[in-house]
């Protein structure tokens, strides 16, 4: 019994010293085995595929091998600088724990990704077996690593400088100078690799992450940060100064001065028509004396899932209602819905077929890889810098990726996504476009609109252009509405004189459908129509993509952590339902019409919220588009 307890105690002490390595494994497990977006990425990885899919599979394998090796090296580094006060009884157990734990930890990255691949595909496949076998072989390799080093250095002396010298494990800690004398060349080499990867991601923020794939870019980042942690540990021991504690304190202090998530603006005069002027002009240009259908479209948030679904539904609406294209007056979106509605506005003058083509060209791109690459590399580095580096902002990388995709999909069309939102959509013949975000400091809706909303009751709504007096690129305007937690950061907004106006986050914090903004506009349009005797009838269209029901299974484990997260997630999805239910009575009471169009998803259909859809996820949505019937 005493031996068993001592064995467990020894392994616990060793694992505790490798907590930073284990932290990345926990993050990796949730990223690739629990989150829908990570699982959707893994569905695309296959050794039997061709083209880009095969390329991403190989890159993911190389990247997880990189993570595995840095896991081993970092664990060994932490243990080299650790002193263990093990029991004197059976001291061999303590050495065995220090030898075994790094080898075992090196296996785990392969197993995490293998398990994610199994969950994503619902079965085993060649890539799964490659990952599992690699986990076994890395353990075997590390087991005979000492013998290999001795054999190579004895037989091939000129290879010695390319192979790190073996440093045996002991219960006491090594001085940093000894580690440096044995492996200084490899420490420099590892640092150069890290610098090179950071530089590549920074200078090629879109093309490189897309080349290696979303899975690989995250796995590469894990390895890089493990190296940096190892070097930090080495410096702390070498300088005999509490660098780790100092870095933590600096992170806190720098957070007051290094916010680099500032919105980009567009120079030039900002002129928008008033809502009454715009609506009156719009109706008179279309009215024939009979009652005019006025379509008011609302698109729910949900990342690229929402954008892809919304674009398909808009195409169906063109086919269902002959007057939809010309009579679509107002668009109100949140998050991914805002992305799709901005596409609708940007392609407003195209015929439906061309509009469909451009939308599909843009929405098939991988936007997750660039933003996660920027998140895990340069924007993470920003946290350690005292001043803001705006080019490190991951949201700007996402915006630039939208602009690049637009240029590829519609190279000859005016209204590039780097141009001003108001400037591009200021025509009196354009529909009213409202992209909803949330003002952090007040909790109110902040709306980016091409038409002035100052005529409305603005008690709980802020007209962003009127508040700041500035125009923003189309991509930035969409980004304001799409800043959902963690993946994309809150935006800092400044006035022309440099004062901080406030911060913006995703519109879904307030309400995830944009129905509140549309109802405010609707009430005012009703008053205008009555006063000016405009012959109109309003038709609301709510494009939904979140599930209509959630599991009510009780929370069991980690309830203090999971309860707030699940509550926030469910409320996020339910706000649109509650707002629409309240609005429906008012709409029908006035004799107008409301149509809801839902993306119906089975539990096994992984159509994730995020910025990437696999071909399988797009196929699931396309099947729904074929089935839906719009009345």
């Amino acid at each position: 019994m005493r031996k068993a307890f001592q064995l467990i105690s020894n392994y616990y002490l060793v694992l505790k010293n490798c907590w930073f390595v284990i932290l990345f494994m926990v993050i990796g497990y949730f990223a690739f085995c629990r989150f829908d977006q990570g699982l959707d990425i893994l569905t695309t990885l296959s050794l039997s595929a061709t083209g880009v899919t095969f390329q991403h599979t190989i890159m993911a394998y190389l990247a997880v091998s990189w993570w595995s090796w840095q896991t081993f090296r970092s664990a060994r580094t932490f243990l080299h600088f650790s002193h263990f006060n093990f029991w004197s009884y059976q001291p061999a157990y303590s050495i065995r724990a220090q030898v075994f734990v790094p080898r075992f930890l090196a296996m785990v990255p392969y197993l995490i990704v293998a398990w994610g691949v199994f969950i994503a595909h619902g079965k085993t496949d060649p890539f799964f077996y490659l990952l599992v076998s690699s986990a076994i072989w890395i353990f075997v390799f590390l087991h005979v690593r000492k013998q290999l080093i001795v054999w190579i250095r004895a037989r091939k002396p000129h290879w010695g400088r390319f192979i790190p010298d073996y440093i045996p494990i002991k219960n006491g800690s090594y001085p940093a100078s000894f580690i440096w004398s044995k492996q200084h060349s490899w420490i420099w080499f590892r640092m150069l690799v890290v610098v090179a990867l950071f530089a590549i991601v920074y200078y090629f923020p879109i093309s490189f992450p897309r080349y290696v794939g979303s899975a690989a870019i995250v796995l590469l980042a894990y390895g890089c940060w493990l190296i940096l942690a190892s070097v930090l540990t080495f410096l702390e021991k070498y300088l005999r100064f509490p660098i780790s504690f100092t870095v933590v304190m600096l992170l806190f202090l720098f957070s007051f001065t290094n916010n680099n998530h500032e919105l980009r603006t567009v120079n030039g005069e900002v002129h928008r028509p008033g809502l009454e002027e715009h609506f009156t002009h719009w109706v008179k240009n279309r009215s024939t004396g009979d009652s005019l259908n006025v379509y008011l479209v609302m698109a729910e948030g949900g990342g690229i899932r929402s954008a892809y679904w919304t674009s398909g539904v808009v195409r169906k609406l063109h086919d269902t209602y002959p007057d939809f294209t010309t009579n679509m007056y107002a668009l109100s979106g949140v998050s991914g819905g805002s992305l799709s509605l901005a596409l609708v506005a940007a392609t407003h003058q195209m015929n439906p077929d061309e509009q469909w083509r451009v939308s599909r060209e843009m929405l098939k791109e991988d936007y997750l890889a660039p933003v996660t690459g920027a998140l895990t590399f340069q924007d993470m580095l920003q946290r350690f810098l005292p001043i803001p580096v705006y080019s490190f902002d991951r949201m700007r990388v996402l915006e630039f990726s939208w602009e690049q995709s637009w240029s590829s999909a519609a190279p000859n069309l005016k209204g590039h996504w780097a141009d001003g939102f108001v400037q591009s959509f200021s025509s009196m013949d354009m529909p009213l476009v409202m992209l909803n975000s949330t003002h952090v400091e007040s909790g109110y809706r902040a709306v980016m609109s091409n038409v002035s909303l100052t005529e409305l009751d603005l008690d709980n709504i802020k007209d962003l252009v009127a508040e700041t007096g500035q125009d923003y690129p189309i991509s930035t305007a969409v980004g304001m509405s799409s800043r959902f937690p963690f993946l994309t950061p809150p935006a800092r907004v400044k006035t022309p004189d440099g004062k901080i106006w406030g911060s913006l986050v995703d519109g879904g914090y307030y309400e995830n459908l944009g129905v509140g903004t549309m109802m405010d506009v609707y009430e005012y349009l009703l008053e205008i129509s009555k006063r000016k005797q405009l012959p109109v009838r309003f038709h609301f269209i709510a494009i939904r993509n979140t599930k209509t029901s959630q599991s009510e299974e009780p929370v069991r484990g980690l309830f203090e952590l999971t309860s707030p997260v699940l509550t926030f997630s469910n409320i996020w999805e339910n706000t649109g339902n509650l707002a629409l239910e309240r609005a429906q009575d008012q709409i029908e009471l006035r004799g107008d019409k409301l149509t809801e169009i839902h993306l119906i998803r089975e539990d096994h259909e992984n159509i994730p919220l995020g910025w990437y859809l696999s071909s399988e996820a797009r196929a699931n949505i396309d099947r729904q588009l074929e089935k839906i019937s719009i009345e």
Side-chain angles (χ1 to χ4, degrees):
M1 185 69 182
R2 185 181 181 185
K3 289 182 180 180
F5 180 78
Q6 179 192 352
L7 184 65
I8 294 172
S9 175
N10 289 346
Y11 280 89
Y12 162 74
L13 290 173
V14 173
L15 286 169
K16 185 177 72 170
N17 276 270
C18 298
W19 70 269
F20 193 78
V21 174
I22 296 172
L23 173 64
F24 275 91
M25 293 177 179
V26 173
I27 295 171
Y29 171 76
F30 279 97
F32 291 107
C33 300
R34 302 295 297 174
F35 294 156
D36 285 348
Q37 184 71 81
L39 290 171
D40 191 47
I41 292 167
L42 295 182
T43 61
T44 66
L45 303 183
S46 173
L47 290 173
S48 59
T50 58
V52 174
T53 299
F54 180 75
Q55 172 183 303
H56 286 175
T57 305
I58 297 301
M59 290 297 173
Y61 178 74
L62 295 175
V64 74
S65 300
W66 159 262
W67 179 23
S68 170
W69 181 248
Q70 300 314 321
T71 293
F72 170 76
R73 291 303 317 152
S74 297
R76 285 293 292 253
T77 300
F78 293 146
L79 296 180
H80 283 328
F81 293 130
S82 301
H83 177 76
F84 295 98
N85 186 22
F86 290 117
W87 292 2
S88 60
Y89 179 74
Q90 289 291 342
Y93 286 155
S94 62
I95 298 293
R96 193 176 305 166
Q98 295 181 74
V99 169
F100 174 80
V101 166
R103 297 173 184 174
F104 170 75
L105 292 178
M107 299 173 64
V108 176
Y110 287 109
L111 298 177
I112 288 173
V113 178
W115 181 242
V117 168
F118 175 76
I119 296 173
H121 290 274
K123 60 180 181 180
T124 58
D125 68 352
F127 190 47
F128 169 84
Y129 289 118
L130 174 63
L131 291 165
V132 173
S133 61
S134 296
I136 297 171
W137 279 110
I138 192 66
F139 187 88
V140 172
F141 168 75
L142 294 173
H143 181 71
V144 299
R145 171 172 158 268
K146 178 180 178 181
Q147 291 87 336
L148 285 173
I149 291 175
V150 172
W151 183 85
I152 293 174
R153 293 175 75 93
R155 296 292 184 92
K156 307 288 184 181
H158 55 283
W159 287 10
R161 64 176 180 268
F162 300 111
I163 300 173
D165 198 1
Y166 182 81
I167 301 176
I169 283 288
K170 66 174 184 175
N171 287 339
S173 61
Y174 284 102
S177 57
F178 175 77
I179 301 296
W180 179 257
S181 68
K182 290 288 187 178
Q183 295 192 347
H184 61 275
S185 297
W186 275 89
I187 293 173
W188 279 118
F189 176 75
R190 294 170 76 197
M191 282 302 299
L192 287 174
V193 172
V194 170
V195 171
L197 281 172
F198 270 81
I200 291 170
V201 174
Y202 175 72
Y203 285 108
F204 306 97
I206 300 172
S207 58
F208 179 73
R210 283 181 175 172
Y211 178 80
V212 301
S214 296
I217 198 69
V218 173
L219 296 169
L220 288 173
Y222 290 169
C224 286
W225 285 104
L226 285 174
I227 290 175
L228 292 173
S230 301
V231 171
L232 188 68
T233 302
F234 169 80
L235 291 174
E236 189 168 55
K237 300 299 181 181
Y238 187 80
L239 299 175
R240 298 183 180 181
F241 184 80
I243 295 178
S244 300
F245 175 76
T246 304
V247 167
V248 172
M249 294 302 299
L250 290 176
L251 283 172
F252 171 74
L253 294 175
F254 290 169
S255 68
F256 291 92
T257 62
N258 68 356
N259 188 341
N260 64 328
H261 307 305
E262 190 171 303
L263 291 182
R264 294 180 297 147
T265 60
V266 173
N267 294 326
E269 185 178 351
V270 180
H271 174 72
R272 300 180 298 166
L275 184 55
E276 180 173 347
E277 175 191 7
H278 185 267
F279 182 64
T280 303
H281 172 88
W282 186 89
V283 171
K284 289 183 176 179
N285 274 6
R286 290 161 177 77
S287 177
T288 60
D290 298 327
S291 180
L292 177 71
N293 285 322
V294 178
Y295 295 97
L296 310 177
V297 180
M298 302 167 291
E300 192 169 35
I304 200 73
R305 175 185 70 206
S306 171
Y308 193 89
W309 171 247
T310 300
S311 70
V313 171
V314 168
R315 182 68 176 85
K316 283 279 187 178
L317 291 168
H318 283 304
D319 296 337
T320 304
Y321 303 120
D323 60 345
F324 178 80
T325 303
T326 56
N327 291 3
M328 178 180 60
Y329 175 69
L331 310 172
S332 179
V334 176
S335 187
S338 293
L339 173 59
S340 186
L341 294 184
L343 269 171
V344 171
T347 57
H348 181 62
Q349 295 180 342
M350 294 182 182
N351 63 60
D353 291 336
E354 182 67 6
Q355 187 180 73
W356 170 260
R357 183 197 65 78
V358 171
S359 297
R360 280 303 190 256
E361 282 292 315
M362 274 201 67
L363 298 177
K364 74 178 184 181
E365 296 284 0
D366 181 0
Y367 298 114
L368 181 65
V371 72
T372 52
L375 166 64
T376 53
F377 281 90
Q378 61 260 37
D379 212 355
M380 189 69 71
L381 179 62
Q382 170 68 86
R383 304 309 114 208
F384 298 89
L385 303 177
I387 59 174
V389 181
Y390 297 111
S391 59
F392 283 7
D393 181 9
R394 62 187 182 272
M395 194 64 200
R396 293 194 181 197
V397 172
L398 180 58
E399 294 168 10
F400 293 152
S401 66
W402 288 333
E403 293 173 10
Q404 185 183 93
S405 297
W406 171 260
S407 297
S408 299
N412 299 321
L413 190 68
K414 293 182 179 179
H416 190 280
W417 274 40
D419 294 339
F421 179 88
V422 175
Q423 294 173 10
S424 299
F425 301 150
S426 61
S427 170
M428 294 289 283
D429 293 322
M430 283 291 298
L432 164 62
V433 185
M434 299 173 291
L435 308 184
N436 297 271
S437 55
T438 305
H439 184 237
V440 172
E441 287 75 9
S442 66
Y444 289 171
R445 286 166 287 159
V447 182
M448 184 69 188
S449 172
N450 59 330
V451 175
S452 175
L453 303 178
T454 55
E455 298 160 75
L456 303 178
D457 180 3
L458 299 180
D459 285 343
N460 62 348
I461 182 172
K462 291 181 179 291
D463 184 338
L464 189 63
V465 175
E467 293 270 348
T468 65
Q470 298 186 112
D471 194 7
Y472 304 88
I474 298 173
S475 60
T476 300
V478 173
M480 294 177 193
S481 179
S482 308
R483 293 174 177 260
F484 46 82
F486 306 120
L487 182 59
T488 45
R492 170 173 286 182
V493 186
K494 288 186 176 180
T495 58
D497 58 2
K499 294 183 179 179
I500 298 175
W501 175 79
S503 303
L504 297 176
V505 291
D506 193 286
Y509 281 88
Y510 186 93
E511 180 256 298
N512 201 34
L513 183 58
V515 64
T517 303
M518 190 67 86
M519 286 301 294
D520 288 341
V521 169
Y522 172 62
E523 295 289 344
Y524 188 69
L525 297 184
L526 284 174
E527 189 272 326
I528 295 172
S529 303
K530 182 177 180 181
R531 174 161 43 86
K532 296 197 170 186
Q533 297 183 339
L534 301 176
V536 295
R537 183 174 184 268
F538 294 96
H539 186 170
F540 285 76
I541 298 184
I543 305 175
R544 317 291 304 278
N545 72 94
T546 54
K547 290 188 177 181
T548 55
S549 62
Q550 286 84 34
S551 170
E552 296 185 4
E553 182 180 350
V555 176
R556 301 188 186 279
L558 299 174
F559 61 92
E560 291 193 14
L561 174 65
T562 56
S563 294
V565 173
L566 290 174
T567 302
F568 177 76
S569 175
N570 288 331
I571 288 177
W572 186 294
E573 294 185 359
N574 289 336
T575 52
N577 296 332
L578 295 173
L580 196 60
E581 287 173 5
R582 294 171 180 170
Q584 186 171 6
D585 293 338
Q586 298 297 320
I587 294 168
E588 294 178 350
L589 182 65
R590 292 171 168 84
D592 292 317
K593 184 179 180 180
L594 169 66
T595 300
E596 286 189 70
I597 305 171
H598 287 271
L599 172 61
I600 301 173
R601 295 178 288 132
E602 302 295 336
D603 289 337
H604 67 277
E605 290 183 316
N606 182 17
I607 309 177
L609 180 152
W611 292 118
Y612 172 75
L613 286 178
S614 66
S615 57
E616 290 83 356
R618 294 198 303 270
N620 285 341
I621 295 179
D622 290 338
R623 283 193 292 271
Q624 288 292 323
L625 289 171
E626 293 174 1
K627 295 177 183 178
I628 62 171
S629 176
I630 302 174
E631 299 179 359

